[in-house]
Amino acid sequence: MSTRIDDRFAALKAEGRAALVTFVMAGDPDPETSLAIVTALPGAGADVIELGMPFTDPMADGPAIQAAGLRALKAGMTLKKTLKLVTDFRVQDDKTPIVLMGYYNPIYVYGVDKFLAGAKAAGVDGLIVVDLPPEEDLELCIPARDAGLNFIRLATPTTDDRRLPKVLENTSGFVYYVSLTGITGAALADYAGVSAAVKRIKGHTGLPIAVGFGVKNAQNAAEIAVNADGVVVGSALVDALKTSLGPDNKAGEGSVEAVTSLVASLAAGVRGARPQAGPAKNGGAFSWLTRLWA
């Protein structure tokens, strides 16, 4: 049975273009504004939404996303409220795929079975849990698959051809290629290297390949969208929101537009990357994550 993620990537492949995958932190800067932002993302051009699950110790994230998570927690965001945000989003949008991204600790504390049941009921389509390597698939990956959720794996520049089959073994939805070494928000990756990596990974799987980390603007997005099946943007959107906030990190009148205007620009870049219509022809890899997955 296909998921919204499967259906969205299949539809975009038929259109001959890549997906724009947007990351925002659930509850940043407050639950109400966060819901308004997430609800506005599809209309601005987002094809898939990654929703960060706030956590007190996000060791893989750069300063921007760390700060976003802390703002959300300070505003009272919890994992239960994150699921409620998805439920509220689904009242207005039953088509756009939602992926929850974060760390295993909050899920473990919440209870795996309870979390998966709640995520499925809310309308979540997939999970990215960056600190669970393939060797721990029985913890969450397999139960998530059995619950009807995609479990999306990360591949890094150091994931070689010997390691890649293990990484891909229970992956579904799409493969998230972390295009550089470092933390989220780091410098842009080398385009030629990214293109070669996408081609290499495609030799091992028929899943779509989405590339993230280092994408700041429409030009960056267009460069990656030429060869990848998806372009993931996170820190740039979090930064755009941060610049709109007032004293004490309170949302301003332009906070939603600060995010959606950048998404619209990125979407234009992605959509213009392959001028010919028809079927497609074609973060940071954190040091500790590289050791887990590579």
Side-chain angles (χ1 to χ4, degrees):
M1 181 177 179
S2 64
T3 65
R4 291 185 187 91
I5 296 172
D6 300 326
D7 293 343
R8 180 55 54 92
F9 274 101
L12 295 179
K13 182 177 181 179
E15 290 181 26
R17 71 169 178 88
L20 175 60
V21 183
T22 56
F23 172 93
V24 293
M25 182 65 67
D28 180 30
D30 59 75
E32 295 76 19
T33 305
S34 180
L35 176 60
I37 290 170
V38 175
T39 301
L41 288 174
D47 298 300
V48 179
I49 297 171
E50 288 181 4
L51 197 57
M53 296 179 284
F55 180 46
T56 54
D57 189 24
M59 65 183 74
D61 293 313
I65 293 180
Q66 285 190 29
L70 292 177
R71 287 193 299 268
L73 291 170
K74 185 176 181 181
M77 201 62 177
T78 63
L79 186 53
K80 183 177 181 179
K81 289 181 179 179
T82 298
L83 296 177
K84 177 64 164 53
L85 190 157
V86 178
T87 299
D88 292 342
F89 172 82
R90 286 289 176 225
V91 173
Q92 305 177 60
D93 187 322
D94 192 44
K95 299 295 185 183
T96 304
I98 293 278
V99 176
L100 296 185
M101 183 172 186
Y103 300 83
Y104 184 48
N105 182 273
I107 297 171
Y108 177 79
V109 171
Y110 193 82
V112 169
D113 292 342
K114 179 182 176 183
F115 168 75
L116 291 175
K120 186 66 176 177
V124 173
D125 303 293
L127 303 174
I128 300 174
V129 182
V130 300
D131 55 347
L132 278 181
E135 286 73 18
E136 304 297 334
D137 274 359
L138 290 176
E139 289 285 332
L140 184 62
C141 175
I142 301 302
R145 182 193 65 187
D146 293 344
L149 299 173
N150 291 129
F151 200 87
I152 296 146
R153 290 287 190 199
L154 283 75
T156 77
T158 56
T159 309
D160 61 24
D161 288 332
R162 290 179 298 176
R163 176 61 171 170
L164 197 53
K166 182 64 175 177
V167 170
L168 296 172
E169 187 176 11
N170 292 309
T171 300
S172 62
F174 63 92
V175 178
Y176 187 156
Y177 178 66
V178 175
S179 60
L180 49 85
T181 55
I183 54 175
T184 57
L188 184 66
D190 169 66
Y191 295 125
V194 170
S195 177
V198 169
K199 182 178 180 180
R200 180 174 65 85
I201 296 170
K202 282 182 175 291
H204 291 265
T205 181
L207 291 171
I209 313 297
V211 176
F213 285 52
V215 181
K216 304 291 187 183
N217 53 46
Q219 181 179 352
N220 299 157
E223 290 277 3
I224 291 175
V226 171
N227 296 294
D229 301 300
V231 180
V232 186
V233 186
S235 293
L237 300 180
V238 172
D239 284 336
L241 175 59
K242 169 61 178 174
T243 61
S244 77
L245 302 181
D248 299 322
N249 290 320
K250 299 297 184 182
E253 290 184 3
S255 290
V256 174
E257 185 179 359
V259 178
T260 57
S261 61
L262 178 53
V263 171
S265 174
L266 292 162
V270 169
R271 286 160 172 75
R274 303 178 191 171
Q276 294 182 346
K281 296 180 181 178
N282 304 330
F286 350 107
S287 58
W288 64 273
L289 179 62
T290 298
R291 291 197 296 272
L292 283 173
W293 293 68

